Amino acid sequence: MAVGLLASAGCAAQKAFNTAQQEAHRDNWDQAVLQYSKASALDPGNEAYNIALTRAKLKASAQHFEKAKRYAKSAQWDLAAAEYQQTLLLCPGNQHAADELDKALIMIRRRDELPSDIERMKEQAQKDMLSP
């Protein structure tokens, strides 16, 4: 019975690995990471799975970093911050992404501290009503 379970786990790991390979060929790195992670969890001693997982994490991290830069360039700070965070989840040692995340968070705080356009218009309307 134990042999059957091991064979089943090995089969499931190979299936996850094959699915991950297909996703990687499509440049769908997030899905590849999920499938490589599954394969690696089912067969932790398989170096091919572990190496492929590391490679997929780097590729997925790079995709999220590029997406974050595009969002930051267009001042979409919330989206940029989310993508930088995803980058860091996949590649925790990426200091450049950490620095860029800090910048995005500063921009979010600045934006949130400023009065909104509607608040400024209300203030201006009140000033206009009070002036002779």
Side-chain angles (χ1 to χ4, degrees):
M1 185 160 145
V3 172
L5 288 175
L6 286 175
S8 176
C11 208
Q14 186 62 48
K15 182 178 178 188
F17 181 79
N18 291 342
T19 302
Q21 294 282 71
Q22 293 169 357
E23 295 297 340
H25 287 154
R26 292 184 193 118
D27 285 334
N28 190 353
W29 293 106
D30 285 335
Q31 285 301 315
V33 167
L34 291 174
Q35 292 300 317
Y36 284 133
S37 294
K38 184 176 178 181
S40 185
L42 290 168
D43 188 359
N46 189 317
E47 282 305 306
Y49 295 174
N50 295 330
I51 291 168
L53 174 59
T54 299
R55 179 176 165 265
K57 283 182 176 183
L58 289 171
K59 293 281 194 174
S61 174
Q63 280 184 338
H64 285 286
F65 187 76
E66 289 303 315
K67 197 183 286 187
K69 289 192 318 187
R70 286 193 302 274
Y71 285 137
K73 188 175 182 178
S74 63
Q76 296 179 9
W77 300 114
D78 296 309
L79 295 172
E83 291 296 332
Y84 287 130
Q85 287 171 335
Q86 187 64 33
T87 300
L88 289 167
L89 283 173
L90 291 161
C91 187
N94 187 334
Q95 188 58 49
H96 188 50
D99 293 343
E100 293 301 315
L101 173 60
D102 288 342
K103 289 177 190 176
L105 294 174
I106 288 168
M107 296 306 290
I108 290 169
R109 279 194 295 280
R110 285 183 185 166
R111 178 200 64 205
D112 292 347
E113 289 173 356
L114 295 175
S116 69
D117 289 340
I118 292 174
E119 289 171 354
R120 282 190 292 252
M121 290 169 58
K122 284 181 185 178
E123 288 176 20
Q124 187 60 46
Q126 286 177 344
K127 288 179 186 175
D128 292 347
M129 288 175 49
L130 296 175
S131 62

